[in-house]
Amino acid sequence: PTRPPGTRRAPTGPPATALAATTPARRTMLNFFGGGGGDGDAKPVAKGAGPVDPEHRRCTDVLCLAFFVAFWCGMLAIMSVSLARGDINAIRYGADYRGNRCGVGDFADRPKTIYPRLDEDLVEQSAFIDANKPWLLQLFGLCVPECIDPENVTVRGTGAGADVNFVYRLNYNWNNTPEDYQRRYAFLLPEVSLLNRCFPYQNAEVDDATYCYAPTCTQVDRPCALEDRGDKRSWEIKANMSQSVKDQCEVRKQVTDTARFSLFQESAIRRYVTGQLGSLVAFVESLQEAQVQIGVTSLVFPFVLGYLWILLLRVVARWVIYFMLLLMGTVLLLATAMSFTYACMIPNDELYNCTAQGTQEYSYGGFTVENTDMYRIAFFVALALLIVFCVSVSVLQKAIQTCIAIVEESAVVVGHLPALMAVPLGGTAASVLVFVYFSYIGLYIVTSKPGTYEDFQDRLNSLGTEGIIEADEQNTTYFVFCYHLFGTLWSLAFLIGLSIMTIAGGVSHWFFFRDDPARRVRFPTVKSFLVAARFHLGTVAFGSALVAVAQFLRIVLEYIDQRTKNLQESNLFMKLLLKCVKCCMWCLENVLKFITGYSYVYTAIEGLPFCAAARETFYLILKYPAQVYVNHLVQLVLKLVQSVTVPFVCAISCYYWASQEGLNNAMYAALVTLVISYFITRIFAAVYEVVIESIFVCSFRDRDKYGAAHTPNRIRKAFGLEALSSQDRDANNGYGGYNSYGAYGTSTRAPAPPPPKANY
């Protein structure tokens, strides 16, 4: 009855006098976690709006954590069984046609495996490739000491006069058994070693030469280098010539001679495989040459540009957001105008040939529609999006201003708490370890002791390829692998959730206690992580399980989609149904990520279990739907800009650097830089998104319950409130909220008045 209206029941906790009598170790712990004064005495500070202190928290969703631990016990059991039953060397070494493992035992001096019947085996077992089951392939192999080096099969000469060295290999010469016979295999392609398996790749000798076509060789008194080819004008420009001689040339002639050797009876499959492996070898070699350029531009540049981007938003966030909103509106307007023109809504053959367009049709899966009808549908969709966008920007100006203030304040938070960037880096490192575990144990699950090539041929003759595929579908290994896959997805989502909760806890601590020396701690991010690990791992396990279920179902649907391609080609309804279900599952996964993300923020602040935090999330969405919409629209815009500009700047820098160094295939290095820098940029963007969401929740929670007494002045101005001076903030400490021990402030000053009602 004595509580002010609209406040919560004070949580039970030890009084201040009891805390003052605690042991030094206890007081040290409370000081570190922000539960007591810095001088060792208990000094209650009335900022109940801030994160709940550790001594007032309780473990949440313990059963979910227990289930997560039990699930991991099952994964460890699968690991132990797989390591015992799987072939530990099946990953590192191949097997010959008699079932012997190369590089092991009697074949320790022959670690490499070659496949002399690669062409015949690929043709004979092509059904396994068509069924997307390449692991069912069994190739005729031989154990050899080493793969063929390119120098052993180097093409000599160019054009019709080129020749090549051959490398001959024999089988094991076991002539004492009737099933073995002496055979010699000719190899004329170099081989690349992939997990000690030797695969041939296309090899060609390319000779590039530059000639001068004008002036002619007789005019400059130079030897006519191409006279034997019927060209009596050209003379060769050599690298050691002086620049004055090179400058005499006015017209250049480039001549390239290529000599390529391959087997005469080579199948299309082998030609494709060797060609792809040749591209792979060139790709790897170019990366090795440009490893310095790739390392600097893909690892160092993204971090520098990421911090510069945050500093830029701190200053010009308003202009960046408005410029991108203007750009989005312009794109929607252009899309609407183009679709209106191509749909021939108003026929005008001078602007667009509507007569010819009306006769063209678009077919998909047996469904045919005229092009004009397709553009007409696109026009109405683009027009609807344009109207929604324009109305949103016009009506929601207040929400946009608030979002801009939140974005600018988020940049300030990242500047004050640089340790926030270490959270996703640690999470990424842990995720890499989980992925390595998944790959390593997964290979053990699907491997077994090698069988002989003759036994496989007997099964192939008796069952056929369809019978082997059907038997593989009933393999219980798939169920074990699915359990292993779901556990990996759950673990990855768990690490992401723990990172979000850690960042949210550190941001909320800064938000409420940045001006309170008694409650401020030296390492708020570390404190947030320890609190989350101590009390809320069960909540993280709950939310991550929901996300993992949606991701696993999407993988299952993708597998079904791949396995029913033929059925979908003959059944349009089946194809559309599967596409719709996949789209719905994608939406469900993103909705779950959205809800769990905000739930982790509420758990970090108030110590709520997952269901209660999700309820608070729904209340927030229902109370401020426009603000949530604007926030995520702006987040999408910022993420798009950052995820495009930073990786492309890094890739262009790598390409220019590698080109200046004269490295071959600089484009390969630029592509790798683009991919790596994109993922690092997404780490920065993910941190910034969580900071924005945390500031959003803290600001509106503080505005609704405590009159925005702790909200930064930049956001208070967006709320329509007056800025607070440092004296006003000090005076507000202890008024309008619970103190750290649950007792309501008892000052004679009135609590901070509620803010004026705003239309959000």
Side-chain angles (χ1 to χ4, degrees):
T2 60
R3 290 201 316 273
T7 59
R8 298 179 301 172
R9 180 180 298 276
T12 59
T17 54
L19 288 174
T22 55
T23 63
R26 169 70 171 169
R27 290 198 301 270
T28 301
M29 187 275 291
L30 292 178
N31 292 337
F32 179 80
F33 282 107
D39 57 356
D41 297 327
K43 294 182 179 179
V45 178
K47 277 201 175 179
V52 177
D53 292 324
E55 59 267 23
H56 295 140
R57 292 179 183 257
R58 59 183 178 85
C59 295
T60 56
D61 301 300
V62 179
L63 291 179
C64 295
L65 179 61
F67 188 74
F68 180 71
V69 174
F71 199 95
W72 254 98
C73 291
M75 292 184 65
L76 294 177
I78 290 176
M79 179 187 71
S80 61
V81 174
S82 301
L83 292 176
R85 296 186 177 182
D87 186 5
I88 193 172
N89 291 308
I91 304 170
R92 298 175 55 196
Y93 302 108
D96 67 3
Y97 70 102
R98 295 182 61 86
N100 301 297
R101 182 66 63 192
C102 301
V104 177
D106 296 337
F107 294 84
D109 58 339
R110 287 175 279 181
K112 307 293 183 179
T113 308
I114 63 169
Y115 302 100
R117 285 177 42 87
L118 180 63
D119 194 65
E120 296 89 335
D121 290 337
L122 290 177
V123 173
E124 189 178 52
Q125 305 174 40
S126 59
F128 299 148
I129 301 177
D130 295 337
N132 295 320
K133 292 180 176 293
W135 56 85
L136 294 179
L137 290 170
Q138 182 143 351
L139 307 177
F140 182 92
L142 293 174
C143 297
V144 295
E146 59 185 8
C147 300
I148 298 178
D149 190 86
E151 295 181 357
N152 296 332
V153 290
T154 301
V155 179
R156 300 189 303 271
T158 59
D163 61 353
V164 65
N165 290 329
F166 292 95
V167 176
Y168 291 99
R169 280 169 168 164
L170 307 176
N171 63 357
Y172 298 144
N173 195 20
W174 290 335
N175 293 320
N176 55 338
T177 55
E179 62 269 18
D180 287 316
Y181 57 91
Q182 183 72 26
R183 182 171 178 179
R184 185 177 71 168
Y185 302 96
F187 291 83
L188 57 143
L189 293 179
E191 296 170 336
V192 57
S193 178
L194 301 175
L195 293 175
N196 287 307
R197 279 84 166 173
C198 301
F199 293 98
Y201 63 91
Q202 288 184 3
N203 185 34
E205 188 72 17
V206 181
D207 183 22
D208 288 328
T210 303
Y211 301 89
C212 183
Y213 193 74
T216 65
C217 53
T218 55
Q219 291 175 339
V220 297
D221 194 20
R222 293 280 177 182
C224 298
L226 300 179
E227 189 173 2
D228 56 340
R229 299 189 182 186
D231 182 359
K232 299 181 180 180
R233 298 176 53 91
S234 300
W235 50 280
E236 186 176 3
I237 300 177
K238 299 181 180 180
N240 57 359
M241 287 183 174
S242 63
Q243 189 63 37
S244 59
V245 175
K246 296 179 181 179
D247 292 339
Q248 296 178 8
C249 184
E250 298 176 358
V251 179
R252 184 179 62 177
K253 179 179 181 180
Q254 196 83 19
V255 178
T256 302
D257 289 327
T258 303
R260 189 184 305 275
F261 289 83
S262 62
L263 297 176
F264 182 75
Q265 297 179 343
E266 187 177 41
S267 66
I269 297 178
R270 180 187 175 95
R271 192 178 305 111
Y272 173 79
V273 172
T274 55
Q276 294 299 316
L277 289 175
S279 301
L280 176 62
V281 171
F283 177 74
V284 173
E285 290 178 349
S286 64
L287 297 187
Q288 291 176 346
E289 293 179 354
Q291 54 185 337
V292 175
Q293 289 79 4
I294 294 174
V296 174
T297 56
S298 65
L299 298 179
V300 179
F301 281 22
F303 281 98
V304 176
L305 295 176
Y307 277 110
L308 291 177
W309 170 256
I310 294 175
L311 293 176
L312 180 67
L313 290 180
R314 189 171 180 175
V315 179
V316 296
R318 181 180 306 273
W319 304 109
V320 172
I321 292 173
Y322 274 119
F323 173 77
M324 292 306 302
L325 291 177
L326 178 63
L327 183 62
M328 290 180 62
T330 304
V331 171
L332 288 174
L333 181 62
L334 290 176
T336 304
M338 292 178 62
S339 58
F340 178 84
T341 303
Y342 292 156
C344 297
M345 306 288 285
I346 301 178
N348 187 350
D349 288 340
E350 295 182 359
L351 182 63
Y352 186 69
N353 191 353
C354 295
T355 304
Q357 183 70 15
T359 61
Q360 298 180 4
E361 296 179 341
Y362 174 77
S363 299
Y364 178 76
F367 181 74
T368 304
V369 63
E370 293 184 0
N371 281 4
T372 53
D373 294 334
M374 290 290 296
Y375 284 117
R376 191 172 290 112
I377 296 173
F379 165 72
F380 286 112
V381 172
L383 180 62
L385 292 176
L386 179 62
I387 293 174
V388 171
F389 179 80
C390 293
V391 172
S392 301
V393 173
S394 302
V395 176
L396 303 177
Q397 274 298 312
K398 184 67 175 179
I400 293 176
Q401 294 295 330
T402 303
C403 181
I404 291 174
I406 292 175
V407 170
E408 292 174 344
E409 199 64 36
S410 299
V412 175
V413 174
V414 176
H416 286 166
L417 301 177
L420 292 176
M421 303 308 305
V423 176
L425 293 179
T428 302
S431 299
V432 170
L433 294 178
V434 172
F435 181 77
V436 171
Y437 169 84
F438 164 76
S439 303
Y440 192 70
I441 302 303
L443 290 174
Y444 278 102
I445 292 175
V446 300
T447 56
S448 60
K449 302 297 180 181
T452 64
Y453 186 80
E454 288 81 359
D455 293 340
F456 174 79
Q457 289 293 326
D458 293 339
R459 291 184 61 211
L460 190 62
N461 294 331
S462 60
L463 300 178
T465 54
E466 295 296 331
I468 294 178
I469 294 175
E470 183 178 353
D472 183 70
E473 294 287 350
Q474 302 174 0
N475 195 341
T476 56
T477 303
Y478 283 104
F479 299 100
V480 177
F481 189 81
C482 287
Y483 185 96
H484 182 66
L485 174 62
F486 179 79
T488 303
L489 295 175
W490 193 358
S491 301
L492 293 175
F494 181 88
L495 293 173
I496 294 175
L498 183 59
S499 299
I500 293 175
M501 188 175 292
T502 300
I503 295 173
V507 172
S508 62
H509 185 93
W510 176 91
F511 184 92
F512 290 101
F513 303 144
R514 64 189 184 280
D515 297 324
D516 188 353
R519 299 296 306 277
R520 192 169 56 232
V521 296
R522 179 174 299 179
F523 303 109
T525 307
V526 177
K527 168 199 169 181
S528 177
F529 172 76
L530 295 177
V531 169
R534 169 64 179 83
F535 297 100
H536 305 304
L537 291 182
T539 299
V540 178
F542 196 156
S544 58
L546 298 178
V547 175
V549 168
Q551 292 174 338
F552 182 78
L553 292 178
R554 288 191 64 195
I555 294 175
V556 172
L557 287 174
E558 190 63 35
Y559 177 79
I560 295 174
D561 187 17
Q562 295 297 325
R563 297 293 297 151
T564 58
K565 287 294 186 183
N566 295 332
L567 178 61
Q568 295 180 49
E569 291 298 329
S570 59
N571 191 332
L572 179 61
F573 175 77
M574 178 68 179
K575 175 182 287 189
L576 295 178
L577 177 62
L578 193 57
K579 301 298 182 185
C580 291
V581 174
K582 290 172 64 176
C583 180
C584 292
M585 288 306 304
W586 177 83
C587 295
L588 176 62
E589 179 187 354
N590 284 274
V591 168
L592 289 175
K593 288 181 177 179
F594 175 84
I595 295 175
T596 54
Y598 274 99
S599 299
Y600 295 149
V601 175
Y602 274 105
T603 299
I605 298 174
E606 301 186 1
L608 300 175
F610 182 81
C611 292
R615 183 178 65 248
E616 294 293 330
T617 301
F618 280 109
Y619 288 162
L620 179 72
I621 297 173
L622 294 176
K623 192 172 184 179
Y624 303 108
Q627 189 65 56
V628 173
Y629 162 73
V630 170
N631 286 355
H632 280 269
L633 177 62
V634 171
Q635 284 179 298
L636 176 63
V637 170
L638 295 178
K639 179 172 65 176
L640 180 63
V641 173
Q642 186 178 7
S643 300
V644 171
T645 56
V646 173
F648 270 97
V649 169
C650 296
I652 293 173
S653 301
C654 180
Y655 180 81
Y656 179 78
W657 188 1
S659 300
Q660 291 293 93
E661 295 292 333
L663 303 180
N664 296 323
N665 298 320
M667 183 60 67
Y668 290 154
L671 291 176
V672 173
T673 299
L674 181 69
V675 174
I676 298 176
S677 58
Y678 171 78
F679 283 105
I680 296 179
T681 302
R682 286 297 300 126
I683 292 176
F684 274 86
V687 173
Y688 204 62
E689 291 170 10
V690 177
V691 173
I692 291 175
E693 293 172 357
S694 303
I695 293 294
F696 167 51
V697 172
C698 292
S699 300
F700 279 76
R701 180 175 176 271
D702 185 46
R703 187 185 77 95
D704 292 342
K705 295 184 177 181
Y706 309 102
H710 316 91
T711 303
N713 287 331
R714 183 183 286 107
I715 302 178
R716 284 180 60 88
K717 182 179 178 181
F719 285 160
L721 302 175
E722 295 182 357
L724 289 178
S725 63
S726 57
Q727 292 81 6
D728 294 332
R729 294 193 182 278
D730 293 338
N732 275 332
N733 291 340
Y735 310 102
Y738 289 97
N739 59 30
S740 59
Y741 309 106
Y744 194 80
T746 57
S747 171
T748 57
R749 287 189 55 176
K757 185 176 181 180
N759 183 17
Y760 288 96

